[in-house]
Amino acid sequence: MGSGLFGNKILKVFRINAATVTVGIIVMGMAAYLWGVPFLELMELKTVDLRFISRGVVAPGPDVILAVVDEKSLEEQGKWIWPRSKFAKLVQILSESNAKVIAFDVGFLEPDKNSTVRAAADFEDVVKDLGIREEKLDAYLMQVRQQADNDLIFAQAVRESKAKVVLGYFFQMTREGLEHVGEKIIKAQIKNARTSRYSMIRYTSDKAQSVPLQEAFMPQSNIATIAGSTRYSGYFNMFPDRDGGVRWVPLLVRCGEHFYAPLSVQAIRAYTGRAPTVAIADYGVQGIRLGKLAMPTNELGRLMVNYRGGAKTFPHISITDILHHRVSPETFKDKIVLVGATAIGIYDMRVTPFSSVFPGLEIHANIIDNILRQDFLQRPNWAAIFDLIAMALLGLIVGLAIPRLRALPGTAVTIGLLVTYILLCQYLFTHLGAWLNIVYPAAVLVLTYVSLTLYKYLTEERDKRFLQATFASYLAPELIEEMFNSKTMPELGGEARIVTAYFTDIQGFSTFSEILTAHQLVELLNEYLSAMTDILISEKGTLDKYEGDAIIAFFGAPMDLADHGLRACRVAVAMQNKLLELREKWRNEKQLPDEPNRNTKNLPPEEWVPGDKWPKIVHQMKMRIGINSGEIVVGNMGSSMRMNYTMMGDPVNLAARLEAAGKQYGVYTFASEYTMDFEFIDENSARKKVMDMVEARMIDNITVVGKSEPVKVYEICAMKGGLAAQEKDLLKGFDEGMQHYLRMEWDEAVAKFNESLKIEQIFDGKTTPSEVYIQRCKRFKENPPAAPGEEWDGVFRLTEK
C-alpha cells in the first residue's frame, strides 16, 4: 500500500491525469522521431524486411539474365580464378547471340598470370644474351606473346563485341591501409575509371556544389589494357545498414572532382543509349534521370532496392553451358547479361530481406529491374507528416479509450489499432511502394497503453490495492478478487455472522525456546508457519494473526463460505498430516559439514544426536487445534490510523479453550458440537452436515473454565473414508466404552476402554482419551457423579485451561 500511496502523491504533486500522460507520450514520440533513436531506427529496418517477406515474390521483367560462375562451371572449367581467355570466349558467344549489354560483376584489377607469356619473355631474354639478331625470330616471339596474352585477348574481344560491355570495379573508401600508394598510381587508377563518370551534373545553387555526399578515396580500377577496351564501367560497392543488411545502394559516389556511376546504372545507360543526368540541391541529391527513367534516391544518392524475391528470382545460366553452346542463342537476344559468381566460397555474399546468403550479383539485377520498370520503394514527400499524424492519432484514440474501458476491452482496442495500422502500412508498401514508419507510431501506441494502464492502477483501482494491502497476508487471493468485484470494502467496525473460529498451538513450545537459539527458533517457526498458512489460505481461510507459535484464523469472513465448518475440519486434517511430513523431514536433516555446531546449549546425545540439524524435541513436535462455530463479530477493529481485520465473541473464546483442553485428553484436534452439527448446502444443492463428512469420535461433554454451558467435543481423526482398519476398530471400541460410561456402567466401560487403549494412535504422549476414561471410571466408581436413581447429564467440568 505504501508504493501505491507514493504513486498517488506523485500524481497529485505534478497534476498528472490521463490527458497529460497521453499528450506527453505523443510529444515525446514525435521528438524521438525527429531526433532519430538508433535502436528504433534499427527496429524499423527489421519491419521493412518483414514487409518484404509478407509481400512475397514479384516476377521481374524479361530484360536481365545472369551468367554465373557456379559449382557446375568450376567443375567443368577448372578452379577459380579463370584465365581471361575464357571471359573473352564468353563475350564472343554472347555477342554472337545478340545480347545487348554484357556487364561484369568481376574486377580485372591485375594482369592475368599466364605461363606462356612468361616463357616467351624468358626465351627472348636468352636469345638476346646469346647475341642472336634475327628479325624473323623477333617477329615470332612477339606473335607468341600477343597470342598468349589473355588480357589482350579479352580486351580485343570486348572491343570487337557487338554487345556493349560494362566493366566493374570498386572504390577504396578511405586511405586507411593505402598510405604507401603514391599519387602516380592514384592518378592512373582514376584515369582507368573515367568511363564510369557522370558527365552531366546540374546544381540548383552555388551552395549545392559543396553539399556533403558519399565520398571515396580512390578507385581500384581494371588494368589499363582492359579498362581502355570499352566506354562503359561502373563500381559495384555496396554499403550495408548497421545490421549487415543491404537495403540501399549508392547510385552516386564522389571521388575528387568527379561523380561516378554504379555498374547497374551504367548497364542501363549502355542498354538505352542515353546518358544519365544528376541534379544536386542544397540538401543533397535531388534526383538522377536517364532519359525518361527516373531514379529516386535519398539526399546521399542512395536508392532503396525493391527486391523481387530471394536468390534465383532472375534466370541463372551456368557459364560452362554458354561456353559449350548448350544454351539457345535466342535466350540472350536483346538482353542485359550480368556476369558474376554464385558458387559458394567465391561469390560476394550479402544479407537481404529475403535471405542472409544472397549473391551480390543479383542485387545489381534487382536495381536494373527497378529502374527499367520504374518500380521503386521510397519514402514519399508526405511520409514524415503521415508518421507524425499517425503517432498523434493512435495515441489520442488509446488515450480516450483506456480510461473509459475495463482491462480486457482496453487491451482489445489497443491490439486492434496496432494490427490495423500495421496492415495499412503493409498495404501501402505492397501496392504503392511507400515506406511509412511502423515502429514510432506503434511505440507511441503501446507506451500510451502501458502508461495509462499504470495510471489507472495508481488511481482508479486503489480500492483493490487497499484490499490487497489489508488482506493479502491472511486471505486467499480469490476472496480478495471477489471482494473487489462485489465492491465489499472494509470499514472500521464489525458485523455479526456465523463463522468458524480456528486456533492452533505447538505443544510445549516454551521448551523449544529454551533449547534452540533465537535464530534457530525463527528458522523453525518460519518453515512451520509457512507450511500451515499455505494450507489455511488454500481453503480460503482468513488468517487473523500469529501469536508466537499460535495461528489464529477463521472461515466464512470477510466473504461468505457456505461450508466454512467443513473447511476448518479439512484444514485441521491437512495440517496434522503436514506436521507428520515435517517431523520426518526434520528427523532426516543433518548439519552441514562447514556449519558451526548448532547444539550451542551442549545438550546430551540423548536429546540432540551429534550431526543432526535439529534436537529430538523438534522431531517429536505436536500441534493442538481447537475449532468452534457460532455467531462471531468480524471486521476491522482498531483506530482509523491502524485497523486489523479480526474476530471477537464468546464462540472465539470457546475455540481457544478447546485447543487448550486437548492436552488433558491427549487429543490434538478438538471440534465442538456446533461445528460438527453445522449444516450447509453444497455445490450440488444438497443439504450436508459436517459430521457426515468427517471421521470423528465424541470425546466428552464438558464445560470449559469460565463457562457454565456444556458442549460436546469431538476429535477429528480424518476426512470421511480416510481411516485405516485399526483406526476404525479404535473408534468403535471407544464409542462402546462411552455408552457404558454414560450409563454409569463403570466396570464394562473400563473393559472397553482397556481394549481401545491398546490401539490408541498416540503412544508417546502423556495420556490418551482411553486412559483418561479408565482413570475417571475408577474414580466415579468410588464417588459416583450422581446418586443411585438420579439421572446423570454426563457433563465433566474442566478446572484448568
Side-chain angles (χ1 to χ4, degrees):
M1 188 165 66
S3 61
L5 291 174
F6 179 70
N8 286 326
K9 288 180 180 178
I10 292 178
L11 297 178
K12 290 178 181 179
V13 169
F14 291 97
R15 301 181 182 275
I16 296 175
N17 55 35
T20 57
V21 170
T22 302
V23 173
I25 291 172
I26 292 173
V27 171
M28 183 174 63
M30 290 180 172
Y33 175 84
L34 297 173
W35 182 265
V37 179
F39 174 75
L40 296 180
E41 300 289 340
L42 180 60
M43 290 301 100
E44 178 62 21
L45 293 178
K46 296 300 183 183
T47 70
V48 172
D49 295 348
L50 292 174
R51 281 179 255 189
F52 271 113
I53 295 170
S54 177
R55 183 205 68 187
V57 176
V58 175
D63 308 283
V64 182
I65 289 178
L66 276 59
V68 299
V69 181
D70 55 4
E71 284 77 4
K72 180 180 180 182
S73 297
L74 295 178
E75 184 178 349
E76 293 187 2
Q77 299 296 325
K79 67 179 183 179
W80 191 255
I81 300 171
W82 290 347
R84 284 163 192 166
S85 57
K86 288 186 185 294
F87 288 111
K89 184 179 179 182
L90 176 65
V91 169
Q92 292 169 357
I93 294 173
L94 293 175
S95 176
E96 292 168 0
S97 299
N98 295 312
K100 198 165 186 179
V101 176
I102 306 169
F104 281 90
D105 186 29
V106 178
F108 305 102
L109 312 179
E110 297 179 355
D112 191 315
K113 297 179 180 179
N114 188 293
S115 59
T116 305
V117 174
R118 290 199 303 270
D122 292 342
F123 183 68
E124 185 176 5
D125 291 340
V126 171
V127 170
K128 288 181 179 179
D129 290 342
L130 294 174
I132 302 173
R133 293 292 184 268
E134 291 288 343
E135 292 183 3
K136 290 184 179 182
L137 181 59
D138 291 342
Y140 173 74
L141 290 173
M142 183 177 294
Q143 183 180 2
V144 169
R145 285 199 305 274
Q146 291 175 346
Q147 291 176 348
D149 192 333
N150 289 331
D151 292 332
L152 291 174
I153 294 171
F154 179 64
Q156 188 65 27
V158 170
R159 286 193 188 93
E160 296 175 355
S161 171
K162 293 185 293 182
K164 296 174 182 178
V165 177
V166 183
L167 299 176
Y169 67 93
F170 70 91
F171 273 107
Q172 299 283 0
M173 302 309 296
T174 66
R175 190 170 188 125
E176 185 177 355
L178 300 174
E179 292 81 2
H180 62 285
V181 179
E183 289 299 319
K184 183 177 180 181
I185 295 177
I186 294 174
K187 289 180 179 179
Q189 294 288 343
I190 292 175
K191 180 180 179 182
N192 291 342
R194 65 185 182 280
T195 52
S196 68
R197 293 175 185 168
Y198 284 108
S199 57
M200 290 184 284
I201 309 294
R202 182 174 60 86
Y203 296 99
T204 60
S205 67
D206 292 338
K207 183 180 177 182
Q209 297 186 35
S210 58
V211 69
L213 294 172
Q214 186 71 61
E215 300 282 348
F217 170 60
M218 63 171 280
Q220 193 72 45
S221 60
N222 296 290
I223 62 173
T225 301
I226 295 175
S229 63
T230 180
R231 296 188 297 118
Y232 305 99
S233 66
Y235 61 83
F236 41 65
N237 293 71
M238 294 181 187
F239 302 96
D241 291 318
R242 66 187 65 190
D243 63 344
V246 176
R247 302 177 185 88
W248 304 80
V249 292
L251 298 191
L252 177 144
V253 168
R254 179 160 57 192
C255 183
E257 299 177 354
H258 300 284
F259 293 96
Y260 294 81
L263 183 70
S264 52
V265 171
Q266 291 294 75
I268 298 173
R269 174 189 174 189
Y271 188 67
T272 61
R274 303 295 297 270
T277 60
V278 178
I280 300 178
D282 295 351
Y283 58 84
V285 177
Q286 189 179 62
I288 302 175
R289 297 192 65 86
L290 206 158
K292 295 182 178 181
L293 300 177
M295 291 173 264
T297 68
N298 65 9
E299 63 276 9
L300 291 176
R302 295 183 179 184
L303 176 76
M304 189 176 187
V305 185
N306 188 1
Y307 285 99
R308 297 335 202 176
K312 295 190 177 180
T313 300
F314 291 82
H316 283 223
I317 299 176
S318 177
I319 288 179
T320 190
D321 289 337
I322 300 173
L323 295 178
H324 286 102
H325 299 282
R326 298 171 187 156
V327 184
S328 171
E330 290 296 318
T331 304
F332 306 106
K333 186 177 180 181
D334 297 328
K335 296 291 193 295
I336 298 174
V337 181
L338 295 179
V339 181
T342 62
I344 295 175
I346 66 170
Y347 75 96
D348 186 18
M349 291 185 295
R350 299 291 182 178
V351 177
T352 70
F354 283 99
S355 174
S356 60
V357 180
F358 194 88
L361 175 68
E362 199 155 352
I363 295 179
H364 299 301
N366 277 276
I367 300 167
I368 292 170
D369 191 71
N370 290 172
I371 296 172
L372 289 178
R373 300 182 67 186
Q374 292 291 279
D375 185 13
F376 301 104
L377 289 177
Q378 53 185 317
R379 292 274 293 164
N381 295 331
W382 44 268
I385 297 175
F386 179 93
D387 295 340
L388 293 171
I389 291 175
M391 279 185 264
L393 191 59
L394 292 175
L396 287 174
I397 293 175
V398 173
L400 291 172
I402 296 303
R404 292 167 173 78
L405 298 175
R406 295 183 67 85
L408 191 58
T411 302
V413 168
T414 303
I415 294 175
L417 283 172
L418 180 62
V419 171
T420 300
Y421 181 71
I422 291 173
L423 291 177
L424 173 63
C425 290
Q426 179 64 39
Y427 177 84
L428 295 174
F429 181 89
T430 302
H431 295 84
L432 299 182
W435 169 24
L436 300 173
N437 200 289
I438 286 180
V439 169
Y440 281 96
V444 167
L445 184 149
V446 172
L447 188 58
T448 303
Y449 167 76
V450 172
S451 299
L452 288 180
T453 301
L454 179 61
Y455 170 80
K456 198 172 181 180
Y457 170 80
L458 291 173
T459 55
E460 297 180 7
E461 297 190 3
R462 68 185 65 182
D463 289 347
K464 188 171 184 179
R465 296 200 315 280
F466 177 72
L467 285 173
Q468 289 174 335
T470 306
F471 293 105
S473 61
Y474 51 87
L475 198 63
E478 299 89 347
L479 292 180
I480 296 176
E481 188 67 28
E482 189 175 343
M483 290 175 64
F484 175 73
N485 292 335
S486 63
K487 306 302 181 184
T488 305
M489 295 299 297
E491 297 178 358
L492 190 61
E495 60 173 324
R497 59 165 63 180
I498 303 297
V499 298
T500 297
Y502 187 95
F503 282 74
T504 75
D505 196 11
I506 295 176
Q507 177 176 285
F509 189 70
S510 58
T511 307
F512 287 73
S513 303
E514 295 171 1
I515 292 176
L516 300 175
T517 65
H519 178 77
Q520 292 168 349
L521 193 64
V522 170
E523 180 184 2
L524 180 67
L525 269 182
N526 282 344
E527 182 175 9
Y528 162 80
L529 292 175
S530 295
M532 300 307 162
T533 305
D534 288 344
I535 295 172
L536 175 72
I537 298 300
S538 68
E539 285 289 348
K540 299 185 179 181
T542 301
L543 176 65
D544 187 325
K545 62 179 74 70
Y546 299 117
E547 286 188 356
D549 61 299
I551 300 174
I552 302 174
F554 48 92
F555 296 80
M559 296 302 296
D560 289 328
L561 294 172
D563 58 346
H564 54 79
L566 177 62
R567 288 175 181 270
C569 294
R570 197 154 55 213
V571 167
V573 172
M575 282 187 175
Q576 295 291 7
N577 291 335
K578 185 64 178 180
L579 184 56
L580 289 175
E581 295 177 13
L582 289 174
R583 289 209 303 258
E584 183 64 23
K585 173 179 177 292
W586 294 329
R587 188 177 295 113
N588 295 324
E589 284 184 327
K590 302 297 179 182
Q591 184 172 306
L592 298 176
D594 55 348
E595 186 180 8
N597 182 28
R598 292 174 63 88
N599 186 5
T600 58
K601 306 291 180 67
N602 296 315
L603 298 178
E606 57 269 21
E607 294 185 38
W608 195 326
V609 175
D612 281 1
K613 182 176 181 178
W614 300 106
K616 287 186 177 181
I617 191 174
V618 173
H619 304 167
Q620 299 163 359
M621 180 191 288
K622 294 183 180 65
M623 165 180 61
R624 290 191 304 272
I625 299 172
I627 303 171
N628 182 44
S629 301
E631 188 176 68
I632 298 173
V633 175
V634 292
N636 283 289
M637 315 274 178
S639 69
S640 58
M641 296 295 294
R642 185 179 181 88
M643 293 186 291
N644 182 36
Y645 194 80
T646 187
M647 58 180 175
M648 297 180 67
D650 191 55
V652 178
N653 298 331
L654 178 57
R657 295 288 188 271
L658 292 181
E659 177 269 312
K663 63 184 174 183
Q664 299 184 39
Y665 293 88
V667 170
Y668 291 91
T669 304
F670 249 163
S672 73
E673 63 180 294
Y674 306 118
T675 298
M676 300 302 289
D677 292 336
F678 181 76
E679 292 185 348
F680 62 93
I681 305 298
D682 68 7
E683 61 273 11
N684 298 318
S685 301
R687 182 173 292 278
K688 296 290 180 66
K689 183 184 287 190
V690 174
M691 178 75 77
D692 301 328
M693 309 294 289
V694 300
E695 301 284 1
R697 58 172 168 171
M698 201 277 281
I699 296 297
D700 208 347
N701 189 13
I702 62 173
T703 59
V704 297
V705 176
K707 287 182 64 67
S708 58
E709 185 179 350
V711 58
K712 292 179 181 178
V713 291
Y714 295 78
E715 179 188 18
I716 306 296
C717 301
M719 300 309 295
K720 201 67 177 179
L723 290 180
Q726 185 181 20
E727 294 170 325
K728 292 178 181 178
D729 293 340
L730 170 64
L731 265 62
K732 180 182 178 183
F734 185 85
D735 185 62
E736 291 174 353
M738 285 296 297
Q739 299 303 318
H740 290 297
Y741 167 79
L742 292 173
R743 291 194 295 266
M744 295 189 292
E745 300 168 352
W746 312 120
D747 291 334
E748 293 84 348
V750 168
K752 286 295 181 181
F753 287 134
N754 276 322
E755 291 179 9
S756 64
L757 178 61
K758 297 175 184 178
I759 52 177
E760 283 281 4
Q761 290 178 297
I762 304 172
F763 297 102
D764 52 354
K766 293 181 179 180
T767 188
T768 66
S770 297
E771 186 176 347
V772 167
Y773 274 99
I774 290 171
Q775 299 303 323
R776 189 185 295 179
C777 286
K778 290 178 179 179
R779 291 198 308 272
F780 281 170
K781 183 177 180 180
E782 296 178 1
N783 299 294
E790 293 183 0
E791 186 176 347
W792 181 45
D793 59 8
V795 175
F796 184 81
R797 290 166 177 79
L798 298 181
T799 58
E800 59 182 85
K801 295 183 179 178

